[in-house]
Amino acid sequence: MATERSLGALLRSLQSPSDAQDGLSLLPTATSLLSVLKNPLNLTLLASQLLAAPAIWDQSVDLHSCRRIISVFNTAAMAILQSEESRDPRIPYGGPKKLDREQWVKAVVSGADEKSPRWRHLLLIGGVLLGFEGQDRQGLPWNVRKKLESALVTAAQFSLEELNPQDELDGRCITMVLNYSFELLSDLERSRLNYDRLLPVMTQATYLSPEGLEGAYFLGTVDEDIVQTPAKRFAWPQQSPTFQRITAISSSPLISALGPLSRLIAHAVENVRDPSLVARSVDQIADFVRTLIVQWRQNKLSEVDRAEEAEFLDAESLKNTIPGLWKLLRSCLYSIVIVLRAVLGRVINDRALASDKSAPYISMQILHILRNLYFISSRVGSNSSSQHTFVTLSAVDILAHYPDLTENFLKSIKPSELGQIPSHPLDRCLDLFFLNTSELFTTVVSPQFSEDLLVQAALPYLPAGGNNHLLEIFEAAHSLALAVFAIPNNAAVAAKHLPFYLDNLFAVFPNNLSGRQFRLAFKTVLQVTAPPSPIANRQPLLPSILLEVLYDRALTASNTALPPTAQGTTGPDMGKTVPLSEQSFLTLALIDSLCFLRVEDLEEWLPLTANLINTIPAPEMRKACVERFWDALSNGEMDVERAHYCVTWWSTKGGRELILFGAESAQSEEQGEQGAYMTGAVGGVAPESKL
């Protein structure tokens, strides 16, 4: 009787309109009653009232309220499961008879009736399914679970057909429930979903709705609470309203589960029947990230370079508030990359999207999206995620089939002022994206375009080594310049700009350029100028001239070991464990370049290289160069003709003695082999002893 009286009081309270908080305060009582009621009709009545009660639904309702309704049915289902497991089988008649699981589920699900909208039925069915089957509990018989899954999908289908354009809560609720329960659905039930209706709803709810990522406008509001401290640093207090807003967004029902939700959106992208919906989703994401970067520029935090954060940002903010913001931004990045990966997979496999009218434009839009997200991805490392790498390279590969569109795209993202280094960190970040992306298109664009845009964009950064703010851009600029010079069609461009590049290369090493980078750059330049490149046909002596410049510089270079920052990340052949000097790195650069020389040039440069190695005073550094020299001759870098000459030089022309014992020892040994014999005399030394 006490249970019935409690139920009656609860039903009367649910029928009495009140503020939302009073209505939601009744939910714990409803949860306990759902787990103890034995009459199926009472269970159905209570479940129906929870979905239609004025005390709950006549107020302003959000996804937090909907999640609490799910929790009611989820908790009640778990309680039923636990009570059956804890029942003592030795006392079969010791307590009142309870409903079994199938009866309980049938009674509760019957509460999803015409008194409430279809989308609220998802809260009930999803909560029951999660309570019995979530976290691999397997609490239902197979036939009951199948019926429950089917009921959930059917309710979702009807809900999508009855969406209210005046109130988007229903679409957000559908998104939330499916996100929580999608992994519990069988493939058959998943295939029944109408993804053409579902995809726009989920994209809108996730990225543009007030209970999702708010269209990225949350980022600009942060600026309101950033203040300057007496120590001339920017501070973002933990108690500020904007930080509370960031925290609320991160803990919202949709964004707190953004990873699974992004995979659900990607699944919808892969299964929509209308290809235009894929392009429309990309448009929505593009609008979101465009707003995101505009809001970031309006934020004072964007004015601080990453290398200067410890100097210009408050320590408490760096510890508490700013990491929370970057965590949310990283979640945005990963979410969008997951969806874009599905978009590109659809473009590759869908005939309609793979056409010339769609594929290049979607690829351009995706690259614009990645550009607008680059202020986030550059902090976490764009190569740290395999999905990000796939999205970038796939979009580049598709667009590269359309050279004219490629040049138009590169023009649209070029630096705002060519030939200058911008002062704003965000502009430098966008320049870095341009340099890295342009390098991937160097084989596609015309030589004139490469000279007018790519080389000009790289020029201001080439001598910028040693500046911590520009180190990454400095390396990207050198990489882009070398990529342009290495293209055979760009021979005229390379011949025109190589003198300036080489002057700059020797000027920045070793103070502003690591030894590894110098070796790679010089080797690339020599490869560009050596046969069979077009430059070699015009200027056949250019490789020897470059090596002479390098050789003369090495003779007078310092033999003091460089600091670790100037060593660079090196492989085993580059002196990983042995600190090397400027002279050693120049010698190694000469050794790296030998494989590109003609045989007649090798005849001159092999002895010179050996002599240069012997001028290195430190035994450890000299040993590293000797090992690299032997590796260059024997590991397959040389072609057959060059390798044959190297073997001949090593074995019969004094190369071995020159390397191992120096020029004087080699000369004296050669004289000793000739000997001083009488006319007609026979040498008394056996051939096998002359080793």
Side-chain angles (χ1 to χ4, degrees), residues 292-326:
L292 188 72
I293 193 171
V294 170
Q295 295 294 310
W296 175 246
R297 186 181 289 274
Q298 296 174 358
N299 194 317
K300 293 186 184 70
L301 296 176
S302 69
E303 301 173 7
V304 181
D305 193 275
R306 183 170 41 171
E308 298 177 329
E309 287 184 348
E311 181 180 355
F312 290 102
L313 296 181
D314 178 66
E316 286 297 318
S317 301
L318 283 173
K319 180 181 178 181
N320 299 318
T321 55
I322 294 177
L325 174 62
W326 282 110

mmCIF file of all heavy atoms in Angstrom, residues 292-326:
data_model
loop_
_atom_site.group_PDB
_atom_site.id
_atom_site.type_symbol
_atom_site.label_atom_id
_atom_site.label_comp_id
_atom_site.label_asym_id
_atom_site.label_seq_id
_atom_site.Cartn_x
_atom_site.Cartn_y
_atom_site.Cartn_z
ATOM 1 N N LEU A 292 35.514 29.977 -36.531
ATOM 2 C CA LEU A 292 36.468 29.652 -35.465
ATOM 3 C C LEU A 292 37.748 30.460 -35.600
ATOM 4 O O LEU A 292 38.238 31.040 -34.613
ATOM 5 C CB LEU A 292 36.773 28.154 -35.507
ATOM 6 C CG LEU A 292 37.597 27.590 -34.346
ATOM 7 C CD1 LEU A 292 36.762 27.554 -33.085
ATOM 8 C CD2 LEU A 292 38.088 26.175 -34.674
ATOM 9 N N ILE A 293 38.302 30.551 -36.793
ATOM 10 C CA ILE A 293 39.568 31.274 -36.952
ATOM 11 C C ILE A 293 39.360 32.777 -36.830
ATOM 12 O O ILE A 293 40.220 33.504 -36.314
ATOM 13 C CB ILE A 293 40.244 30.901 -38.289
ATOM 14 C CG1 ILE A 293 41.692 31.396 -38.297
ATOM 15 C CG2 ILE A 293 39.489 31.447 -39.480
ATOM 16 C CD1 ILE A 293 42.499 30.907 -39.467
ATOM 17 N N VAL A 294 38.195 33.282 -37.263
ATOM 18 C CA VAL A 294 37.906 34.703 -37.091
ATOM 19 C C VAL A 294 37.785 35.037 -35.608
ATOM 20 O O VAL A 294 38.309 36.064 -35.129
ATOM 21 C CB VAL A 294 36.619 35.084 -37.856
ATOM 22 C CG1 VAL A 294 36.179 36.503 -37.484
ATOM 23 C CG2 VAL A 294 36.838 34.984 -39.358
ATOM 24 N N GLN A 295 37.111 34.175 -34.855
ATOM 25 C CA GLN A 295 36.976 34.401 -33.416
ATOM 26 C C GLN A 295 38.330 34.303 -32.715
ATOM 27 O O GLN A 295 38.595 35.029 -31.755
ATOM 28 C CB GLN A 295 36.007 33.373 -32.828
ATOM 29 C CG GLN A 295 34.583 33.498 -33.329
ATOM 30 C CD GLN A 295 33.930 34.785 -32.886
ATOM 31 O OE1 GLN A 295 33.943 35.144 -31.718
ATOM 32 N NE2 GLN A 295 33.365 35.517 -33.832
ATOM 33 N N TRP A 296 39.187 33.415 -33.188
ATOM 34 C CA TRP A 296 40.518 33.286 -32.579
ATOM 35 C C TRP A 296 41.347 34.542 -32.821
ATOM 36 O O TRP A 296 42.068 34.998 -31.939
ATOM 37 C CB TRP A 296 41.218 32.064 -33.129
ATOM 38 C CG TRP A 296 42.642 31.889 -32.656
ATOM 39 C CD1 TRP A 296 43.762 31.958 -33.414
ATOM 40 C CD2 TRP A 296 43.078 31.625 -31.322
ATOM 41 N NE1 TRP A 296 44.884 31.758 -32.649
ATOM 42 C CE2 TRP A 296 44.489 31.548 -31.349
ATOM 43 C CE3 TRP A 296 42.422 31.451 -30.107
ATOM 44 C CZ2 TRP A 296 45.242 31.304 -30.216
ATOM 45 C CZ3 TRP A 296 43.178 31.204 -28.967
ATOM 46 C CH2 TRP A 296 44.565 31.133 -29.026
ATOM 47 N N ARG A 297 41.256 35.112 -34.003
ATOM 48 C CA ARG A 297 42.015 36.325 -34.283
ATOM 49 C C ARG A 297 41.563 37.472 -33.385
ATOM 50 O O ARG A 297 42.368 38.336 -33.013
ATOM 51 C CB ARG A 297 41.853 36.713 -35.757
ATOM 52 C CG ARG A 297 42.721 37.896 -36.170
ATOM 53 C CD ARG A 297 42.513 38.264 -37.621
ATOM 54 N NE ARG A 297 43.083 37.258 -38.512
ATOM 55 C CZ ARG A 297 44.352 37.266 -38.899
ATOM 56 N NH1 ARG A 297 45.185 38.194 -38.468
ATOM 57 N NH2 ARG A 297 44.789 36.337 -39.722
ATOM 58 N N GLN A 298 40.290 37.502 -33.015
ATOM 59 C CA GLN A 298 39.782 38.560 -32.158
ATOM 60 C C GLN A 298 40.139 38.346 -30.692
ATOM 61 O O GLN A 298 39.845 39.197 -29.856
ATOM 62 C CB GLN A 298 38.256 38.644 -32.305
ATOM 63 C CG GLN A 298 37.803 39.051 -33.697
ATOM 64 C CD GLN A 298 36.296 38.977 -33.862
ATOM 65 O OE1 GLN A 298 35.580 38.578 -32.940
ATOM 66 N NE2 GLN A 298 35.809 39.361 -35.034
ATOM 67 N N ASN A 299 40.776 37.224 -30.396
ATOM 68 C CA ASN A 299 41.143 36.880 -29.034
ATOM 69 C C ASN A 299 42.571 37.335 -28.756
ATOM 70 O O ASN A 299 43.467 37.132 -29.574
ATOM 71 C CB ASN A 299 41.030 35.353 -28.869
ATOM 72 C CG ASN A 299 41.046 34.914 -27.434
ATOM 73 O OD1 ASN A 299 41.830 35.405 -26.639
ATOM 74 N ND2 ASN A 299 40.187 33.968 -27.104
ATOM 75 N N LYS A 300 42.792 37.934 -27.586
ATOM 76 C CA LYS A 300 44.145 38.400 -27.241
ATOM 77 C C LYS A 300 45.144 37.253 -27.177
ATOM 78 O O LYS A 300 46.346 37.454 -27.385
ATOM 79 C CB LYS A 300 44.118 39.138 -25.898
ATOM 80 C CG LYS A 300 43.368 40.450 -25.890
ATOM 81 C CD LYS A 300 43.531 41.146 -24.550
ATOM 82 C CE LYS A 300 42.711 42.432 -24.482
ATOM 83 N NZ LYS A 300 41.259 42.142 -24.423
ATOM 84 N N LEU A 301 44.672 36.060 -26.880
ATOM 85 C CA LEU A 301 45.591 34.919 -26.798
ATOM 86 C C LEU A 301 46.262 34.636 -28.135
ATOM 87 O O LEU A 301 47.366 34.087 -28.178
ATOM 88 C CB LEU A 301 44.832 33.677 -26.320
ATOM 89 C CG LEU A 301 44.247 33.736 -24.909
ATOM 90 C CD1 LEU A 301 43.448 32.478 -24.615
ATOM 91 C CD2 LEU A 301 45.342 33.931 -23.871
ATOM 92 N N SER A 302 45.611 34.986 -29.242
ATOM 93 C CA SER A 302 46.200 34.730 -30.558
ATOM 94 C C SER A 302 47.384 35.633 -30.838
ATOM 95 O O SER A 302 48.149 35.373 -31.769
ATOM 96 C CB SER A 302 45.139 34.914 -31.651
ATOM 97 O OG SER A 302 44.777 36.277 -31.784
ATOM 98 N N GLU A 303 47.555 36.702 -30.064
ATOM 99 C CA GLU A 303 48.659 37.634 -30.282
ATOM 100 C C GLU A 303 49.960 37.156 -29.648
ATOM 101 O O GLU A 303 51.004 37.771 -29.844
ATOM 102 C CB GLU A 303 48.297 39.008 -29.714
ATOM 103 C CG GLU A 303 47.038 39.611 -30.336
ATOM 104 C CD GLU A 303 46.617 40.895 -29.643
ATOM 105 O OE1 GLU A 303 47.388 41.367 -28.779
ATOM 106 O OE2 GLU A 303 45.538 41.423 -29.954
ATOM 107 N N VAL A 304 49.886 36.073 -28.889
ATOM 108 C CA VAL A 304 51.062 35.555 -28.187
ATOM 109 C C VAL A 304 51.588 34.343 -28.933
ATOM 110 O O VAL A 304 50.869 33.358 -29.119
ATOM 111 C CB VAL A 304 50.712 35.181 -26.734
ATOM 112 C CG1 VAL A 304 51.947 34.662 -26.004
ATOM 113 C CG2 VAL A 304 50.122 36.378 -26.008
ATOM 114 N N ASP A 305 52.835 34.426 -29.368
ATOM 115 C CA ASP A 305 53.456 33.295 -30.042
ATOM 116 C C ASP A 305 53.652 32.150 -29.051
ATOM 117 O O ASP A 305 53.861 32.365 -27.857
ATOM 118 C CB ASP A 305 54.808 33.712 -30.632
ATOM 119 C CG ASP A 305 55.350 32.686 -31.611
ATOM 120 O OD1 ASP A 305 56.000 31.738 -31.148
ATOM 121 O OD2 ASP A 305 55.095 32.835 -32.823
ATOM 122 N N ARG A 306 53.576 30.936 -29.573
ATOM 123 C CA ARG A 306 53.712 29.767 -28.703
ATOM 124 C C ARG A 306 55.033 29.782 -27.943
ATOM 125 O O ARG A 306 55.088 29.368 -26.773
ATOM 126 C CB ARG A 306 53.603 28.501 -29.549
ATOM 127 C CG ARG A 306 53.653 27.218 -28.751
ATOM 128 C CD ARG A 306 53.305 26.005 -29.597
ATOM 129 N NE ARG A 306 53.897 26.057 -30.912
ATOM 130 C CZ ARG A 306 53.867 25.040 -31.755
ATOM 131 N NH1 ARG A 306 53.268 23.921 -31.419
ATOM 132 N NH2 ARG A 306 54.412 25.142 -32.949
ATOM 133 N N ALA A 307 56.106 30.267 -28.562
ATOM 134 C CA ALA A 307 57.408 30.307 -27.896
ATOM 135 C C ALA A 307 57.473 31.368 -26.814
ATOM 136 O O ALA A 307 58.392 31.361 -26.002
ATOM 137 C CB ALA A 307 58.514 30.548 -28.927
ATOM 138 N N GLU A 308 56.489 32.291 -26.786
ATOM 139 C CA GLU A 308 56.512 33.394 -25.821
ATOM 140 C C GLU A 308 55.444 33.261 -24.743
ATOM 141 O O GLU A 308 55.267 34.172 -23.947
ATOM 142 C CB GLU A 308 56.304 34.723 -26.555
ATOM 143 C CG GLU A 308 57.367 35.057 -27.566
ATOM 144 C CD GLU A 308 57.071 36.351 -28.310
ATOM 145 O OE1 GLU A 308 55.873 36.674 -28.508
ATOM 146 O OE2 GLU A 308 58.030 37.036 -28.677
ATOM 147 N N GLU A 309 54.732 32.145 -24.696
ATOM 148 C CA GLU A 309 53.624 32.030 -23.757
ATOM 149 C C GLU A 309 54.073 32.149 -22.307
ATOM 150 O O GLU A 309 53.411 32.790 -21.496
ATOM 151 C CB GLU A 309 52.895 30.706 -23.985
ATOM 152 C CG GLU A 309 52.072 30.697 -25.265
ATOM 153 C CD GLU A 309 51.287 29.413 -25.429
ATOM 154 O OE1 GLU A 309 51.557 28.455 -24.678
ATOM 155 O OE2 GLU A 309 50.401 29.366 -26.303
ATOM 156 N N ALA A 310 55.199 31.529 -21.964
ATOM 157 C CA ALA A 310 55.679 31.607 -20.584
ATOM 158 C C ALA A 310 56.043 33.032 -20.194
ATOM 159 O O ALA A 310 56.008 33.387 -19.010
ATOM 160 C CB ALA A 310 56.882 30.683 -20.398
ATOM 161 N N GLU A 311 56.376 33.850 -21.179
ATOM 162 C CA GLU A 311 56.793 35.228 -20.911
ATOM 163 C C GLU A 311 55.614 36.182 -20.829
ATOM 164 O O GLU A 311 55.624 37.130 -20.031
ATOM 165 C CB GLU A 311 57.748 35.686 -22.002
ATOM 166 C CG GLU A 311 58.274 37.099 -21.836
ATOM 167 C CD GLU A 311 59.219 37.502 -22.956
ATOM 168 O OE1 GLU A 311 59.531 36.635 -23.805
ATOM 169 O OE2 GLU A 311 59.630 38.677 -22.983
ATOM 170 N N PHE A 312 54.572 35.946 -21.608
ATOM 171 C CA PHE A 312 53.489 36.917 -21.706
ATOM 172 C C PHE A 312 52.160 36.450 -21.111
ATOM 173 O O PHE A 312 51.210 37.226 -21.073
ATOM 174 C CB PHE A 312 53.257 37.296 -23.179
ATOM 175 C CG PHE A 312 54.367 38.106 -23.768
ATOM 176 C CD1 PHE A 312 55.311 37.511 -24.591
ATOM 177 C CD2 PHE A 312 54.492 39.455 -23.498
ATOM 178 C CE1 PHE A 312 56.345 38.244 -25.143
ATOM 179 C CE2 PHE A 312 55.526 40.197 -24.037
ATOM 180 C CZ PHE A 312 56.461 39.603 -24.864
ATOM 181 N N LEU A 313 52.067 35.199 -20.674
ATOM 182 C CA LEU A 313 50.826 34.709 -20.090
ATOM 183 C C LEU A 313 51.025 34.393 -18.618
ATOM 184 O O LEU A 313 52.089 33.933 -18.195
ATOM 185 C CB LEU A 313 50.339 33.457 -20.829
ATOM 186 C CG LEU A 313 49.960 33.642 -22.300
ATOM 187 C CD1 LEU A 313 49.481 32.321 -22.893
ATOM 188 C CD2 LEU A 313 48.902 34.715 -22.471
ATOM 189 N N ASP A 314 49.988 34.641 -17.850
ATOM 190 C CA ASP A 314 50.019 34.414 -16.411
ATOM 191 C C ASP A 314 50.199 32.931 -16.099
ATOM 192 O O ASP A 314 49.625 32.061 -16.778
ATOM 193 C CB ASP A 314 48.711 34.939 -15.804
ATOM 194 C CG ASP A 314 48.637 34.688 -14.316
ATOM 195 O OD1 ASP A 314 49.434 35.272 -13.573
ATOM 196 O OD2 ASP A 314 47.773 33.881 -13.909
ATOM 197 N N ALA A 315 50.986 32.631 -15.069
ATOM 198 C CA ALA A 315 51.292 31.241 -14.734
ATOM 199 C C ALA A 315 50.044 30.469 -14.336
ATOM 200 O O ALA A 315 49.869 29.299 -14.714
ATOM 201 C CB ALA A 315 52.328 31.188 -13.609
ATOM 202 N N GLU A 316 49.144 31.101 -13.572
ATOM 203 C CA GLU A 316 47.912 30.418 -13.181
ATOM 204 C C GLU A 316 47.043 30.109 -14.384
ATOM 205 O O GLU A 316 46.416 29.050 -14.466
ATOM 206 C CB GLU A 316 47.149 31.288 -12.172
ATOM 207 C CG GLU A 316 47.753 31.314 -10.786
ATOM 208 C CD GLU A 316 47.739 29.939 -10.129
ATOM 209 O OE1 GLU A 316 46.727 29.229 -10.257
ATOM 210 O OE2 GLU A 316 48.742 29.567 -9.515
ATOM 211 N N SER A 317 46.999 31.032 -15.319
ATOM 212 C CA SER A 317 46.204 30.795 -16.530
ATOM 213 C C SER A 317 46.799 29.665 -17.356
ATOM 214 O O SER A 317 46.071 28.830 -17.908
ATOM 215 C CB SER A 317 46.127 32.079 -17.363
ATOM 216 O OG SER A 317 45.542 33.132 -16.622
ATOM 217 N N LEU A 318 48.126 29.632 -17.447
ATOM 218 C CA LEU A 318 48.777 28.558 -18.197
ATOM 219 C C LEU A 318 48.546 27.201 -17.549
ATOM 220 O O LEU A 318 48.556 26.174 -18.230
ATOM 221 C CB LEU A 318 50.280 28.826 -18.292
ATOM 222 C CG LEU A 318 50.735 29.875 -19.308
ATOM 223 C CD1 LEU A 318 52.220 30.146 -19.156
ATOM 224 C CD2 LEU A 318 50.424 29.417 -20.731
ATOM 225 N N LYS A 319 48.293 27.194 -16.263
ATOM 226 C CA LYS A 319 48.110 25.933 -15.543
ATOM 227 C C LYS A 319 46.659 25.480 -15.523
ATOM 228 O O LYS A 319 46.386 24.273 -15.600
ATOM 229 C CB LYS A 319 48.625 26.097 -14.108
ATOM 230 C CG LYS A 319 48.495 24.849 -13.265
ATOM 231 C CD LYS A 319 49.012 25.095 -11.856
ATOM 232 C CE LYS A 319 48.850 23.843 -10.978
ATOM 233 N NZ LYS A 319 49.323 24.094 -9.594
ATOM 234 N N ASN A 320 45.720 26.433 -15.458
ATOM 235 C CA ASN A 320 44.328 26.065 -15.210
ATOM 236 C C ASN A 320 43.389 26.302 -16.388
ATOM 237 O O ASN A 320 42.737 25.378 -16.869
ATOM 238 C CB ASN A 320 43.807 26.830 -13.983
ATOM 239 C CG ASN A 320 44.585 26.499 -12.721
ATOM 240 O OD1 ASN A 320 44.904 25.353 -12.479
ATOM 241 N ND2 ASN A 320 44.896 27.512 -11.928
ATOM 242 N N THR A 321 43.315 27.553 -16.857
ATOM 243 C CA THR A 321 42.262 27.890 -17.822
ATOM 244 C C THR A 321 42.657 27.612 -19.272
ATOM 245 O O THR A 321 41.877 27.027 -20.031
ATOM 246 C CB THR A 321 41.876 29.371 -17.673
ATOM 247 O OG1 THR A 321 43.055 30.184 -17.801
ATOM 248 C CG2 THR A 321 41.248 29.630 -16.324
ATOM 249 N N ILE A 322 43.844 28.026 -19.664
ATOM 250 C CA ILE A 322 44.245 27.891 -21.071
ATOM 251 C C ILE A 322 44.325 26.425 -21.506
ATOM 252 O O ILE A 322 43.893 26.095 -22.621
ATOM 253 C CB ILE A 322 45.566 28.641 -21.310
ATOM 254 C CG1 ILE A 322 45.330 30.151 -21.128
ATOM 255 C CG2 ILE A 322 46.115 28.360 -22.703
ATOM 256 C CD1 ILE A 322 46.552 30.999 -21.266
ATOM 257 N N PRO A 323 44.830 25.487 -20.692
ATOM 258 C CA PRO A 323 44.787 24.076 -21.116
ATOM 259 C C PRO A 323 43.373 23.570 -21.384
ATOM 260 O O PRO A 323 43.161 22.756 -22.286
ATOM 261 C CB PRO A 323 45.440 23.334 -19.941
ATOM 262 C CG PRO A 323 46.330 24.346 -19.308
ATOM 263 C CD PRO A 323 45.622 25.652 -19.447
ATOM 264 N N GLY A 324 42.379 24.062 -20.601
ATOM 265 C CA GLY A 324 41.004 23.657 -20.844
ATOM 266 C C GLY A 324 40.499 24.134 -22.191
ATOM 267 O O GLY A 324 39.775 23.409 -22.894
ATOM 268 N N LEU A 325 40.893 25.354 -22.574
ATOM 269 C CA LEU A 325 40.495 25.872 -23.880
ATOM 270 C C LEU A 325 41.127 25.065 -25.002
ATOM 271 O O LEU A 325 40.441 24.685 -25.970
ATOM 272 C CB LEU A 325 40.897 27.347 -23.991
ATOM 273 C CG LEU A 325 40.673 28.003 -25.354
ATOM 274 C CD1 LEU A 325 39.197 28.006 -25.717
ATOM 275 C CD2 LEU A 325 41.252 29.417 -25.379
ATOM 276 N N TRP A 326 42.422 24.785 -24.896
ATOM 277 C CA TRP A 326 43.089 24.035 -25.968
ATOM 278 C C TRP A 326 42.597 22.597 -26.037
ATOM 279 O O TRP A 326 42.568 21.993 -27.120
ATOM 280 C CB TRP A 326 44.603 24.076 -25.780
ATOM 281 C CG TRP A 326 45.188 25.365 -26.231
ATOM 282 C CD1 TRP A 326 45.725 26.348 -25.455
ATOM 283 C CD2 TRP A 326 45.262 25.845 -27.584
ATOM 284 N NE1 TRP A 326 46.131 27.387 -26.235
ATOM 285 C CE2 TRP A 326 45.868 27.121 -27.541
ATOM 286 C CE3 TRP A 326 44.883 25.319 -28.807
ATOM 287 C CZ2 TRP A 326 46.099 27.869 -28.689
ATOM 288 C CZ3 TRP A 326 45.104 26.062 -29.956
ATOM 289 C CH2 TRP A 326 45.707 27.327 -29.884
#
